[in-house]
PDB file of all heavy atoms in Angstrom:
ATOM      1  N   VAL A 210      25.879   4.608   3.672  1.00  0.00           N
ATOM      2  CA  VAL A 210      26.159   3.452   4.634  1.00  0.00           C
ATOM      3  C   VAL A 210      25.742   3.830   6.075  1.00  0.00           C
ATOM      4  O   VAL A 210      25.202   2.964   6.675  1.00  0.00           O
ATOM      5  CB  VAL A 210      27.628   3.100   4.524  1.00  0.00           C
ATOM      6  CG1 VAL A 210      27.928   2.053   5.551  1.00  0.00           C
ATOM      7  CG2 VAL A 210      27.958   2.572   3.120  1.00  0.00           C
ATOM      8  N   LYS A 211      25.873   4.992   6.493  1.00  0.00           N
ATOM      9  CA  LYS A 211      25.532   5.348   7.901  1.00  0.00           C
ATOM     10  C   LYS A 211      24.021   5.274   8.140  1.00  0.00           C
ATOM     11  O   LYS A 211      23.673   5.138   9.301  1.00  0.00           O
ATOM     12  CB  LYS A 211      26.082   6.724   8.229  1.00  0.00           C
ATOM     13  CG  LYS A 211      27.523   6.970   8.084  1.00  0.00           C
ATOM     14  CD  LYS A 211      28.021   8.346   8.536  1.00  0.00           C
ATOM     15  CE  LYS A 211      27.480   9.383   7.586  1.00  0.00           C
ATOM     16  NZ  LYS A 211      27.911   9.283   6.189  1.00  0.00           N
ATOM     17  N   GLN A 212      23.222   5.297   7.148  1.00  0.00           N
ATOM     18  CA  GLN A 212      21.769   5.200   7.374  1.00  0.00           C
ATOM     19  C   GLN A 212      21.157   3.838   7.338  1.00  0.00           C
ATOM     20  O   GLN A 212      19.929   3.769   7.595  1.00  0.00           O
ATOM     21  CB  GLN A 212      21.125   6.109   6.312  1.00  0.00           C
ATOM     22  CG  GLN A 212      21.461   7.617   6.465  1.00  0.00           C
ATOM     23  CD  GLN A 212      20.923   8.188   7.740  1.00  0.00           C
ATOM     24  OE1 GLN A 212      21.692   8.503   8.725  1.00  0.00           O
ATOM     25  NE2 GLN A 212      19.624   8.338   7.925  1.00  0.00           N
ATOM     26  N   ILE A 213      21.868   2.865   7.003  1.00  0.00           N
ATOM     27  CA  ILE A 213      21.362   1.508   6.922  1.00  0.00           C
ATOM     28  C   ILE A 213      21.517   0.792   8.326  1.00  0.00           C
ATOM     29  O   ILE A 213      22.139   1.348   9.143  1.00  0.00           O
ATOM     30  CB  ILE A 213      21.941   0.641   5.790  1.00  0.00           C
ATOM     31  CG1 ILE A 213      23.463   0.518   5.936  1.00  0.00           C
ATOM     32  CG2 ILE A 213      21.647   1.370   4.414  1.00  0.00           C
ATOM     33  CD1 ILE A 213      24.092  -0.315   4.893  1.00  0.00           C
ATOM     34  N   GLU A 214      21.086  -0.486   8.342  1.00  0.00           N
ATOM     35  CA  GLU A 214      21.109  -1.154   9.666  1.00  0.00           C
ATOM     36  C   GLU A 214      22.512  -1.095  10.213  1.00  0.00           C
ATOM     37  O   GLU A 214      23.461  -1.223   9.602  1.00  0.00           O
ATOM     38  CB  GLU A 214      20.602  -2.578   9.435  1.00  0.00           C
ATOM     39  CG  GLU A 214      19.198  -2.697   9.007  1.00  0.00           C
ATOM     40  CD  GLU A 214      18.220  -2.132  10.092  1.00  0.00           C
ATOM     41  OE1 GLU A 214      18.534  -2.239  11.281  1.00  0.00           O
ATOM     42  OE2 GLU A 214      17.111  -1.701   9.698  1.00  0.00           O
ATOM     43  N   ALA A 215      22.540  -0.982  11.589  1.00  0.00           N
ATOM     44  CA  ALA A 215      23.839  -0.838  12.260  1.00  0.00           C
ATOM     45  C   ALA A 215      24.850  -1.873  11.989  1.00  0.00           C
ATOM     46  O   ALA A 215      26.041  -1.450  11.741  1.00  0.00           O
ATOM     47  CB  ALA A 215      23.479  -0.734  13.790  1.00  0.00           C
ATOM     48  N   ASP A 216      24.560  -3.126  12.110  1.00  0.00           N
ATOM     49  CA  ASP A 216      25.475  -4.165  11.868  1.00  0.00           C
ATOM     50  C   ASP A 216      26.040  -4.150  10.400  1.00  0.00           C
ATOM     51  O   ASP A 216      27.257  -4.301  10.254  1.00  0.00           O
ATOM     52  CB  ASP A 216      24.872  -5.534  12.206  1.00  0.00           C
ATOM     53  CG  ASP A 216      24.571  -5.761  13.649  1.00  0.00           C
ATOM     54  OD1 ASP A 216      25.161  -5.009  14.415  1.00  0.00           O
ATOM     55  OD2 ASP A 216      23.847  -6.669  13.903  1.00  0.00           O
ATOM     56  N   GLU A 217      25.220  -4.015   9.475  1.00  0.00           N
ATOM     57  CA  GLU A 217      25.595  -3.935   8.069  1.00  0.00           C
ATOM     58  C   GLU A 217      26.513  -2.692   7.903  1.00  0.00           C
ATOM     59  O   GLU A 217      27.528  -2.813   7.217  1.00  0.00           O
ATOM     60  CB  GLU A 217      24.389  -3.898   7.221  1.00  0.00           C
ATOM     61  CG  GLU A 217      23.552  -5.152   7.302  1.00  0.00           C
ATOM     62  CD  GLU A 217      22.211  -4.977   6.587  1.00  0.00           C
ATOM     63  OE1 GLU A 217      21.976  -3.857   6.056  1.00  0.00           O
ATOM     64  OE2 GLU A 217      21.413  -5.961   6.516  1.00  0.00           O
ATOM     65  N   ALA A 218      26.105  -1.542   8.432  1.00  0.00           N
ATOM     66  CA  ALA A 218      26.770  -0.357   8.260  1.00  0.00           C
ATOM     67  C   ALA A 218      28.187  -0.483   8.854  1.00  0.00           C
ATOM     68  O   ALA A 218      29.143   0.076   8.250  1.00  0.00           O
ATOM     69  CB  ALA A 218      26.092   0.824   8.849  1.00  0.00           C
ATOM     70  N   LYS A 219      28.269  -1.100  10.070  1.00  0.00           N
ATOM     71  CA  LYS A 219      29.606  -1.189  10.595  1.00  0.00           C
ATOM     72  C   LYS A 219      30.555  -2.020   9.749  1.00  0.00           C
ATOM     73  O   LYS A 219      31.757  -1.756   9.669  1.00  0.00           O
ATOM     74  CB  LYS A 219      29.524  -1.810  12.018  1.00  0.00           C
ATOM     75  CG  LYS A 219      30.749  -1.848  12.819  1.00  0.00           C
ATOM     76  CD  LYS A 219      30.638  -2.449  14.159  1.00  0.00           C
ATOM     77  CE  LYS A 219      31.912  -2.255  15.046  1.00  0.00           C
ATOM     78  NZ  LYS A 219      33.067  -2.653  14.351  1.00  0.00           N
ATOM     79  N   SER A 220      30.037  -3.107   9.202  1.00  0.00           N
ATOM     80  CA  SER A 220      30.819  -4.004   8.395  1.00  0.00           C
ATOM     81  C   SER A 220      31.383  -3.202   7.104  1.00  0.00           C
ATOM     82  O   SER A 220      32.607  -3.278   6.821  1.00  0.00           O
ATOM     83  CB  SER A 220      30.021  -5.195   7.853  1.00  0.00           C
ATOM     84  OG  SER A 220      29.595  -6.011   8.921  1.00  0.00           O
ATOM     85  N   LEU A 221      30.514  -2.407   6.522  1.00  0.00           N
ATOM     86  CA  LEU A 221      30.943  -1.585   5.379  1.00  0.00           C
ATOM     87  C   LEU A 221      31.876  -0.489   5.753  1.00  0.00           C
ATOM     88  O   LEU A 221      32.886  -0.210   5.054  1.00  0.00           O
ATOM     89  CB  LEU A 221      29.621  -1.146   4.644  1.00  0.00           C
ATOM     90  CG  LEU A 221      28.835  -2.160   3.960  1.00  0.00           C
ATOM     91  CD1 LEU A 221      27.527  -1.505   3.477  1.00  0.00           C
ATOM     92  CD2 LEU A 221      29.617  -2.737   2.724  1.00  0.00           C
ATOM     93  N   THR A 222      31.670   0.262   6.873  1.00  0.00           N
ATOM     94  CA  THR A 222      32.508   1.292   7.253  1.00  0.00           C
ATOM     95  C   THR A 222      33.873   0.791   7.638  1.00  0.00           C
ATOM     96  O   THR A 222      34.824   1.370   7.407  1.00  0.00           O
ATOM     97  CB  THR A 222      31.872   2.141   8.368  1.00  0.00           C
ATOM     98  OG1 THR A 222      31.501   1.251   9.484  1.00  0.00           O
ATOM     99  CG2 THR A 222      30.657   2.938   7.919  1.00  0.00           C
ATOM    100  N   ASP A 223      33.914  -0.379   8.291  1.00  0.00           N
ATOM    101  CA  ASP A 223      35.145  -1.007   8.640  1.00  0.00           C
ATOM    102  C   ASP A 223      35.955  -1.329   7.430  1.00  0.00           C
ATOM    103  O   ASP A 223      37.230  -1.359   7.420  1.00  0.00           O
ATOM    104  CB  ASP A 223      34.878  -2.278   9.432  1.00  0.00           C
ATOM    105  CG  ASP A 223      34.448  -2.040  10.860  1.00  0.00           C
ATOM    106  OD1 ASP A 223      34.589  -0.865  11.290  1.00  0.00           O
ATOM    107  OD2 ASP A 223      34.066  -2.965  11.475  1.00  0.00           O
ATOM    108  N   LEU A 224      35.290  -1.629   6.307  1.00  0.00           N
ATOM    109  CA  LEU A 224      35.996  -1.880   5.015  1.00  0.00           C
ATOM    110  C   LEU A 224      36.334  -0.582   4.177  1.00  0.00           C
ATOM    111  O   LEU A 224      36.921  -0.623   3.094  1.00  0.00           O
ATOM    112  CB  LEU A 224      35.134  -2.791   4.082  1.00  0.00           C
ATOM    113  CG  LEU A 224      34.975  -4.127   4.598  1.00  0.00           C
ATOM    114  CD1 LEU A 224      33.889  -4.944   3.751  1.00  0.00           C
ATOM    115  CD2 LEU A 224      36.278  -4.976   4.652  1.00  0.00           C
ATOM    116  N   GLY A 225      35.975   0.545   4.779  1.00  0.00           N
ATOM    117  CA  GLY A 225      36.322   1.929   4.218  1.00  0.00           C
ATOM    118  C   GLY A 225      35.288   2.487   3.295  1.00  0.00           C
ATOM    119  O   GLY A 225      35.596   3.431   2.626  1.00  0.00           O
ATOM    120  N   TYR A 226      34.040   2.007   3.411  1.00  0.00           N
ATOM    121  CA  TYR A 226      32.988   2.547   2.583  1.00  0.00           C
ATOM    122  C   TYR A 226      32.074   3.492   3.443  1.00  0.00           C
ATOM    123  O   TYR A 226      31.558   3.119   4.397  1.00  0.00           O
ATOM    124  CB  TYR A 226      32.094   1.466   2.049  1.00  0.00           C
ATOM    125  CG  TYR A 226      32.810   0.558   0.980  1.00  0.00           C
ATOM    126  CD1 TYR A 226      33.229  -0.765   1.409  1.00  0.00           C
ATOM    127  CD2 TYR A 226      33.175   0.928  -0.249  1.00  0.00           C
ATOM    128  CE1 TYR A 226      33.870  -1.603   0.549  1.00  0.00           C
ATOM    129  CE2 TYR A 226      33.824   0.115  -1.111  1.00  0.00           C
ATOM    130  CZ  TYR A 226      34.185  -1.132  -0.774  1.00  0.00           C
ATOM    131  OH  TYR A 226      34.824  -1.975  -1.597  1.00  0.00           O
TER     132      TYR A 226
END
Side-chain angles (χ1 to χ4, degrees):
V210 171
K211 298 185 295 298
Q212 292 297 106
I213 62 178
E214 295 295 332
D216 291 343
E217 299 170 356
K219 187 178 187 308
S220 298
L221 289 169
T222 53
D223 286 349
L224 291 173
Y226 295 105

